[in-house]
Amino acid sequence: MSVTGHEERSHRGPGRPRESGHDERIMQAALTLIDNDRPVTVNAVVAASGVSRAALYRRWPSMTDLIAAALDHGRSYASIPTEGDIKQNIIDTLFTRQPETRGATYPERRLRRRLALGLQDREVQLSSWRSHVGRRRTAMVEVLRAGIERGVLRPDTDIEASIDLINGVFYYQIVVRGCAFDDPEAMARCREAFETVWRGMTAS
């Protein structure tokens, strides 16, 4: 699949209002192209959405940004309580609510496409990280900081590295092992990996 992520942005005309429904039509056009393994180009999105090139460029600074947003469309941002049992709060989010945090309408095939497109185009990968993935880490950052402040976790805990370790085992099941998220054995490995990381972070 080819991705044109470096097309120039047109300047928005002064005082020109946005037309209702254009945002959703553009997003759905991009999703249809992605899900059908077709090139996501300006011409293709314009043809599939029925909007003008000017309307497209007024909404998206580049095709890279549009592709990154489309690949994340349908995923929700989890919140993790910082009160009570912090470890159990994280477990509930990662394992009990995991389908919810992926998004009920977010197909696993699209997740695999997101990984593949990120490897094909570093700009798409970086745009996705800046605009979407980084924001989804916020809840985990906050709950781990709360754990440090309450003395549950070691004060020298590297929060970013710990999140990479916890999240990384989930991606390993898909990318390397070829498992699905509803595979009980895969989830058991993820749970055991979390317990291992947690033991390393725990203050006691």
Side-chain angles (χ1 to χ4, degrees):
M1 175 174 182
S2 63
V3 177
T4 57
H6 309 286
E7 302 181 59
E8 295 295 327
R9 176 175 58 177
S10 297
H11 293 290
R12 180 176 179 177
R16 186 179 180 89
R18 290 188 174 187
E19 295 185 37
S20 175
H22 275 18
D23 289 352
E24 185 61 25
R25 288 162 64 185
I26 291 170
M27 181 60 64
Q28 288 304 317
L31 285 171
T32 298
L33 293 168
I34 290 169
D35 289 345
N36 288 280
D37 197 22
R38 294 171 57 192
V40 185
T41 65
V42 172
N43 289 340
V45 173
V46 167
S49 65
V51 304
S52 66
R53 293 173 67 93
L56 173 60
Y57 280 125
R58 280 198 297 272
R59 287 158 174 80
W60 300 101
S62 72
M63 292 303 294
T64 297
D65 293 327
L66 172 57
I67 293 166
L71 290 171
D72 208 67
H73 189 71
R75 300 188 72 181
S76 58
Y77 292 85
S79 61
I80 308 176
T82 56
E83 301 81 15
D85 189 328
I86 286 180
K87 179 183 178 183
Q88 189 60 49
N89 293 344
I90 296 173
I91 289 173
D92 289 343
T93 300
L94 291 178
F95 299 98
T96 305
R97 296 172 51 206
Q98 197 273 332
E100 173 190 336
T101 57
R102 276 180 53 219
T105 61
Y106 193 87
E108 184 176 315
R109 183 174 183 275
R110 189 174 298 159
L111 175 61
R112 293 179 180 275
R113 297 287 298 142
R114 181 170 69 82
L115 295 172
L117 287 173
L119 292 174
Q120 291 174 17
D121 190 323
R122 186 176 296 274
E123 290 303 315
V124 169
Q125 189 177 42
L126 293 175
S127 179
S128 179
W129 172 263
R130 290 190 299 265
S131 302
H132 305 286
V133 180
R135 286 192 296 169
R136 279 200 304 276
R137 292 164 67 98
T138 301
M140 186 69 84
V141 169
E142 291 176 351
V143 76
L144 293 184
R145 282 178 178 165
I148 294 172
E149 292 170 0
R150 289 168 50 183
V152 175
L153 302 179
R154 290 168 42 179
D156 62 345
T157 297
D158 188 318
I159 291 177
E160 288 295 321
S162 298
I163 295 174
D164 284 350
L165 284 169
I166 294 168
N167 290 346
V169 68
F170 288 93
Y171 284 96
Y172 192 90
Q173 306 308 307
I174 296 177
V175 177
V176 181
R177 286 182 173 267
C179 300
F181 271 138
D182 57 358
D183 183 330
E185 292 184 0
M187 288 300 98
R189 286 190 293 269
C190 292
R191 177 64 183 270
E192 185 57 37
F194 170 77
E195 294 289 346
T196 300
V197 175
W198 188 262
R199 286 194 293 272
M201 294 190 296
T202 302
S204 59

